Amino acid sequence: MSEISHVVIPRGFRFGAIKAGLKASGRTDFALIVADEPASAAAAFTGNKVSAAPLIIDKENLKATGGRVRVVAINAGNANCAAGQAGLDAARATCAGAAEVFGCTPQEVFPSSTGIIGVPLPAEKLIAAMPALAAQLGSASDHFQQVALAILTTDTVEKTAFARFDIDGREVRIAATCKGSGMIHPQLVPHATMLVYIVTDAGIAPPVLQQYLNGAIDLTFNRISVDGDTSTNDTVLLLASGTSGARIDADNAAFKNALTEVCTSLARQVVSDGEGITHVVELRIDGAASDADALKAAKAIAHSMLVKTAWAGADPNWGRLVAALGYSGAQIDPECIDISFGDLPICRNGGRAADFDEVKAHAYLKQPEFSIAIELHQGEGWCVFWTTDLTTEYVHINADYST
């Protein structure tokens, strides 16, 4: 194994990817994450009422095993969504094929798919590729990287994040990878597509693991948007092998912080790789009547086509921000809104700031990344939300996606 593998790759897992023939590009399109022993699992899925077949099977399987997963089977190039009974049959066939190869039950398999919607998934290609893929799995960093690359669709770069820390004298590792570039506005419950896979070698019971995952998601993946579209396939999976020997109960600050940092990194990487984007924007909403109101305000701004196109042109048209706040559903007083671009005063008390400088504001918005702070003066609610501009390149990518 490479030197980095001994530092960042959690123990108890093997990884790998292969070309199964789903991507027209001929690139790797089928990946496996295999736990040496059934791992504790926690997951969250899209809030879209149109849900892809793998997600339906995943929920059934997690319930059947009490939150244990042995094999994660991920294909790119086909979403296996809106395919009716054939889609469910394909997902179940993939589980059965993996179970035969790895000597587990079909219910211990977690299928995932990403790609075009409405096209039947040729599960036979995945099943045929599985024995060869199983033979080349490994626990080194380059094996983990194979998974990160194989799951990409319109993404331009792979996305990974790592953490390492000690608990009671035992080293715990977290490694995560995800894909996502377009169709990004995750609304994950319980409470293009984004798929996230996180593995750790800590020992954590499934119910506790789910609590940690839910908390991390609320502050990270549910706080991003590229285009406002919620995918049918959004999935976040967290697996814990327990091979580090460290046992973690609820309210462990070290694990909570490390997991949140890893998820924050991945969430921001997704936004930074948004389809056709030229600007990444961090919105900070303060002084809202509640945290929920702050999120309403942030989403209204992040999803406004007028706001996003202004950002694309570095146009400091702050009136569009105020308009979005007005229809957001959040409690506001139009005369109590303050807006800043970085350190630049833009709006004060609902009107243009006395020292507003359009030239400086325009120059600030020309940066690839910038922040916008909004103070509503209604209470103690707040949130941070990451989003993007909207460019003609985004239109080109999605106008030609299936043809």
Side-chain angles (χ1 to χ4, degrees):
M1 296 197 301
S2 62
E3 183 177 348
I4 192 174
S5 304
H6 295 288
V7 177
V8 299
I9 304 300
R11 293 145 290 193
F13 299 97
R14 289 173 292 147
F15 314 90
I18 201 169
K19 299 176 182 178
L22 297 183
K23 286 183 179 178
S25 64
R27 297 176 180 172
T28 55
D29 50 20
F30 184 40
L32 293 175
I33 300 172
V34 179
D36 295 337
E37 300 292 337
S40 294
F45 303 97
T46 184
N48 194 321
K49 291 183 179 180
V50 177
S51 183
L55 280 64
I56 296 171
I57 302 304
D58 290 335
K59 294 174 185 178
E60 292 178 356
N61 288 355
L62 288 172
K63 183 177 181 180
T65 63
R68 299 286 173 178
V69 169
R70 177 78 195 289
V71 179
V72 184
I74 315 157
N75 76 267
N78 186 305
N80 193 14
C81 180
Q85 186 60 45
L88 294 171
D89 291 343
R92 290 194 175 102
T94 302
C95 293
E100 183 175 349
V101 170
F102 293 100
C104 62
T105 69
Q107 289 75 27
E108 291 177 309
V109 181
F110 189 100
S112 281
S113 299
T114 180
I116 191 168
I117 296 170
V119 177
L121 173 66
E124 65 276 6
K125 291 186 176 182
L126 306 182
I127 295 168
M130 213 165 304
L133 177 51
Q136 65 187 49
L137 296 176
S139 54
S141 57
D142 57 338
H143 295 106
F144 185 81
Q145 192 76 1
Q146 289 176 23
V147 176
L149 288 169
I151 64 177
L152 306 183
T153 52
T154 58
D155 308 65
T156 63
V157 295
E158 70 274 17
K159 303 167 181 71
T160 57
F162 306 92
R164 182 179 56 150
F165 55 97
D166 290 335
I167 293 180
D168 297 329
R170 297 182 183 273
E171 182 188 70
V172 173
R173 304 172 188 173
I174 300 176
T177 185
C178 76
K179 61 86 54 185
S181 185
M183 197 179 275
I184 298 297
H185 174 216
Q187 298 184 67
L188 296 156
V189 292
H191 19 240
T193 295
M194 188 188 73
L195 301 180
V196 181
Y197 307 97
I198 310 165
V199 295
T200 180
D201 48 18
I204 311 175
V208 177
L209 197 64
Q210 189 69 58
Q211 293 175 16
Y212 280 116
L213 182 62
N214 293 349
I217 284 172
D218 280 344
L219 297 176
T220 59
F221 299 118
N222 279 349
R223 297 290 183 270
I224 63 172
S225 178
V226 170
D227 47 23
D229 271 299
T230 299
S231 169
T232 57
N233 291 55
D234 285 336
T235 301
V236 180
L237 175 67
L238 171 59
L239 299 179
S241 69
T243 52
S244 69
R247 296 293 178 261
I248 296 178
D249 296 323
D251 301 320
N252 185 291
F255 184 80
K256 176 183 177 180
N257 293 338
L259 180 63
T260 300
E261 288 175 6
V262 164
C263 291
T264 299
S265 174
L266 289 182
R268 296 194 64 166
Q269 288 179 58
V270 169
V271 172
S272 296
D273 195 32
E275 291 174 344
I277 71 148
T278 57
H279 297 90
V280 174
V281 185
E282 180 177 275
L283 294 173
R284 170 80 189 214
I285 311 295
D286 285 298
S290 64
D291 290 350
D293 256 20
L295 186 58
K296 287 180 183 178
K299 287 187 175 183
I301 292 169
H303 297 159
S304 167
M305 296 299 101
L306 289 175
V307 170
K308 294 172 84 69
T309 51
W311 289 339
D315 183 359
N317 191 343
W318 60 271
R320 294 180 177 181
L321 301 176
V322 173
L325 290 171
Y327 63 67
S328 68
Q331 176 182 312
I332 67 163
D333 180 339
E335 296 183 357
C336 293
I337 298 173
D338 295 339
I339 301 174
S340 298
F341 293 174
D343 295 328
L344 300 175
I346 304 298
C347 168
R348 292 293 181 267
N349 301 318
R352 190 169 78 168
D355 46 355
F356 171 75
D357 189 318
E358 186 174 23
V359 174
K360 288 183 177 180
H362 174 65
Y364 180 75
L365 295 184
K366 290 179 71 174
Q367 299 178 104
E369 297 189 15
F370 56 82
S371 64
I372 293 178
I374 298 175
E375 171 61 60
L376 297 178
H377 296 288
Q378 299 299 303
E380 301 298 323
W382 69 280
C383 82
V384 178
F385 197 94
W386 297 280
T387 187
T388 69
D389 60 358
L390 180 68
T391 68
T392 55
E393 182 61 22
Y394 176 90
V395 177
H396 291 314
I397 291 170
N398 287 284
D400 302 332
Y401 185 75
S402 67
T403 53

